[in-house]
Amino acid sequence: MTDTTRREVLGWLAGLGAAAGAGLLPGRAQASVGVTAVRGVTLIDSSGVRPDATIVLADNRILAVGSCDLPLPRGSTVLDLAGKFVIPGLWDMHVHGAFMDRITLPLCLVNGVTGIREMWGFPPIYELRDRIERGEVFGPRLVVGSMIIDGPHSALPGAVIVSTPDEGRQAVRDAKGADFVKVYSYLDRPTLAAIADECSRQAITFAGHCSNHVPLGDASDLGQRTFEHMYGLPLATSTRETQLRQAIADLPLDPADPFAWFRQVLEFERQATLSHSRSKALQLAKRLQRNNSALCPTMVAMRVYASPADRFANDPRMKYMPAFYRDLWRDSLTRWVPVTPQEIRQQAEFFRRRQEQVAEMHAHGVEILLGTDAGNPYSFSGFSVHDELELLVEAGLSPKAALKAGTRGAAVKPGEAANLVVLDGNPLSDIRNTQRIHTVLTRGRVLGPDVRRQMLADVEKAAQEPFPTVQRTCC
């Protein structure tokens, strides 16, 4: 890290002062533009570790980063936080439920999550995203996907169903307001290829599930930016991939019960982990790197689906969820989770092997993104980001690598948005220290301990209020 020079600091202050009509001059700096300094912290970001650092914020931007003697304007708000650790704001790259703005948004912020990728978009969420950016709603940055595009016999109610390449192209053209297009599990190869081509024409990326009809490497070659939930990874790295893919092609699908087909594909994926090939994994990693494709494993959600139904039912964080969620989550798990002792053992092993494969992809240089699938059973907005960090480390990533996944490799440097999380412990020595949040700084606000406690109390109250409709979430 390089110190910000005194001349640079005074120049930036003068510029801010001019913008505010305050006429700041060297030696006469005033804090009329709302300057806040975080002093005495250990800064941890993508550029390294810097002890005894000072970070100066103004106008929702990082103004300067330097040592303890960095010059400050007279009247600055100084937060002396010696012994604390600062990381960039966290991102959850797979979220559902932004429409519950009084719950999802504050739960993210109090947990240091200052950016989220909403994976199922529709006009009210696009409007919410824009209102946040205009400062009308206090919330994390929102990146919002399209309506989910899926193929015939989709198991997902509410998805946009496309049966032909032309329909796929039209669905992309209809994705007005979306930041990216989301694709799903039942798309066939010609339709996915048409979607990919139309996305290129419309200058928009696409991301989502690995289609059960298209190998992961092939979808990456088509331009798919991210692959969610570890789907497709076991098959793509199995010595039995050809045989198992033929079994999928031959698998009958009952239109009246398409989920049964999906679940059988997952069983083939479990079997694929038993014939994992390191050489195939390396070749796949090279393709993903070449195509700039990333993996978003959402381990916290996949762990729920791999566990007995009641394992997480008494999580104390349920008090922050709408009352109807308890029944909704319990009921939605009935067709997913293992029941018999053998199934429970098999699913636990399946989950562990998929974790190892994610760590292997990371070791080969594939980008890993932190996502939680928040909104699905026992995956909690904000809170579960820290669970996911812990699971990434459990899988084999270092705390440093897990933090990179959770912050999108952000660096704290002048000109960047002032999204910072102050921790009471060093996350590099124990990733669980990301849960020990002291203060969150975002959008020009300082969310200290008292503010965060009040925000949580407000969410708990809002969770008890009736909701007029139930939005089905998805993975």
Side-chain angles (χ1 to χ4, degrees), residues 218-279:
D218 291 357
S220 174
D221 289 345
L222 288 173
Q224 186 162 335
R225 177 65 183 89
T226 71
F227 295 90
E228 316 298 308
H229 316 305
M230 303 178 282
Y231 293 159
L233 182 59
L235 283 168
T237 57
S238 169
T239 57
R240 299 181 61 223
E241 180 180 13
T242 300
Q243 175 186 346
L244 291 170
R245 289 209 170 276
Q246 186 60 53
I248 292 173
D250 295 339
L251 186 64
L253 191 153
D254 180 2
D257 186 14
F259 183 78
W261 184 87
F262 182 83
R263 185 166 181 175
Q264 182 58 52
V265 172
L266 284 179
E267 170 58 20
F268 290 147
E269 292 241 64
R270 185 192 70 81
Q271 295 175 22
T273 63
L274 304 178
S275 55
H276 178 70
S277 166
R278 292 183 179 180
S279 61

Side-chain angles (χ1 to χ4, degrees), residues 133-362:
E133 292 309 307
R134 292 195 299 265
E136 299 168 7
V137 175
F138 184 41
R141 181 184 171 191
L142 271 180
V143 175
V144 186
S146 66
M147 291 286 288
I148 294 173
I149 303 174
D150 204 3
H153 310 305
S154 173
L156 183 64
V160 176
I161 304 302
V162 296
S163 302
T164 66
D166 285 344
E167 290 179 357
R169 289 182 182 277
Q170 187 59 51
V172 173
R173 292 192 290 268
D174 289 342
K176 306 298 183 184
D179 296 309
F180 64 96
V181 166
K182 182 173 179 185
V183 294
Y184 218 61
S185 303
Y186 290 74
L187 291 165
D188 61 30
R189 185 187 294 265
T191 303
L192 183 64
I195 288 171
D197 182 68
E198 191 63 32
C199 282
S200 179
R201 292 171 183 265
Q202 301 296 327
I204 189 170
T205 59
F206 71 103
H209 286 203
C210 180
S211 170
N212 290 321
H213 299 295
V214 183
L216 191 148
D218 291 357
S220 174
D221 289 345
L222 288 173
Q224 186 162 335
R225 177 65 183 89
T226 71
F227 295 90
E228 316 298 308
H229 316 305
M230 303 178 282
Y231 293 159
L233 182 59
L235 283 168
T237 57
S238 169
T239 57
R240 299 181 61 223
E241 180 180 13
T242 300
Q243 175 186 346
L244 291 170
R245 289 209 170 276
Q246 186 60 53
I248 292 173
D250 295 339
L251 186 64
L253 191 153
D254 180 2
D257 186 14
F259 183 78
W261 184 87
F262 182 83
R263 185 166 181 175
Q264 182 58 52
V265 172
L266 284 179
E267 170 58 20
F268 290 147
E269 292 241 64
R270 185 192 70 81
Q271 295 175 22
T273 63
L274 304 178
S275 55
H276 178 70
S277 166
R278 292 183 179 180
S279 61
K280 288 196 69 175
L282 178 59
Q283 292 306 310
L284 175 65
K286 290 179 178 179
R287 290 175 79 178
L288 295 177
Q289 282 184 286
R290 182 174 66 246
N291 298 325
N292 196 30
S293 297
L295 300 178
C296 187
T298 67
M299 293 179 186
V300 67
M302 296 300 100
R303 179 178 61 176
V304 172
Y305 292 123
S307 303
D310 60 353
R311 178 177 174 185
F312 303 99
N314 295 318
D315 192 306
R317 297 172 293 186
M318 284 299 298
K319 66 183 179 180
Y320 299 116
M321 294 293 101
F324 66 79
Y325 264 40
R326 186 174 299 276
D327 294 338
L328 179 67
W329 284 0
R330 181 197 62 218
D331 295 344
S332 67
L333 283 176
T334 56
R335 300 198 66 187
W336 282 88
V337 298
V339 176
T340 69
Q342 181 182 11
E343 288 174 342
I344 293 170
R345 289 193 300 271
Q346 287 179 339
Q347 290 303 309
E349 179 68 10
F350 181 31
F351 177 71
R352 184 186 66 79
R353 287 177 180 270
R354 287 195 291 174
Q355 281 187 293
E356 291 173 350
Q357 290 178 7
V358 170
E360 180 181 40
M361 288 291 108
H362 164 73

